Amino acid sequence: QAHGLINTDKDNLSDPYARVVILPDKKKKSKRKTRVIKDTLQPMWEETFEYDVASLSDARTKTLDVVVKNDKSLFSREKTFMGECLISLEAMFDLEFGNVDWYKLQDHGVFESIIKKIQD
């Protein structure tokens, strides 16, 4: 979920979605996208994405790149950038199950990631 996003539509709301990529891979198969939530500045996507990694030690070297954008409006062909954050997977290994961490999006809003403890 996210909160405090910028409004991009004439109704002072947005139609946000998040694009998630595991780095450094950046291959098409590592890209994921949430559904668009219409007319909100506080979307709750409640979606889970899974990635295949070779090992836990390999997972610790990865970073999640999360970009939040506004979906195309009726009068625009472009999707509006609303913010981006990089989340190191290394830091997630030490979190307790069910903990919630907030990550500030570059320039706009706050992205919430609910982190589940990764089992060895």
Side-chain angles (χ1 to χ4, degrees):
Q1 77 182 53
H3 71 83
L5 296 176
I6 60 171
N7 63 59
T8 58
D9 296 343
K10 290 182 181 186
D11 58 4
N12 291 325
L13 295 171
S14 295
D15 302 325
Y17 69 93
R19 191 257 310 139
V20 182
V21 178
I22 195 162
L23 300 176
D25 299 337
K26 277 202 169 188
K27 295 176 187 158
K28 188 170 183 151
K29 69 178 186 173
S30 79
K31 295 180 182 180
R32 308 285 193 277
K33 179 181 161 187
T34 67
R35 69 187 189 287
V36 174
I37 306 288
K38 297 279 188 187
D39 299 326
T40 185
L41 301 178
Q42 301 186 129
M44 290 189 68
W45 294 287
E46 298 181 309
E47 297 180 40
T48 301
F49 298 120
E50 294 184 12
Y51 292 94
D52 291 326
V53 290
S55 64
L56 284 177
S57 61
D58 182 42
R60 290 176 186 268
T61 67
K62 307 290 184 186
T63 300
L64 227 49
D65 179 15
V66 180
V67 174
V68 178
K69 292 185 176 184
N70 184 61
D71 198 35
K72 296 178 200 170
S73 68
L74 185 61
F75 303 105
S76 172
R77 289 187 226 157
E78 291 189 25
K79 299 176 182 182
T80 305
F81 173 83
M82 299 174 79
E84 177 178 23
C85 67
L86 297 173
I87 304 169
S88 167
L89 295 184
E90 173 68 28
M92 294 182 184
F93 280 86
D94 297 327
L95 293 174
E96 294 295 322
F97 178 78
N99 277 2
V100 175
D101 272 1
W102 288 93
Y103 298 91
K104 182 157 178 53
L105 293 173
Q106 174 191 348
D107 297 326
H108 306 291
V110 176
F111 174 78
E112 178 185 13
S113 176
I114 299 176
I115 308 302
K116 292 184 178 178
K117 184 172 173 70
I118 298 172
Q119 302 297 319
D120 291 328

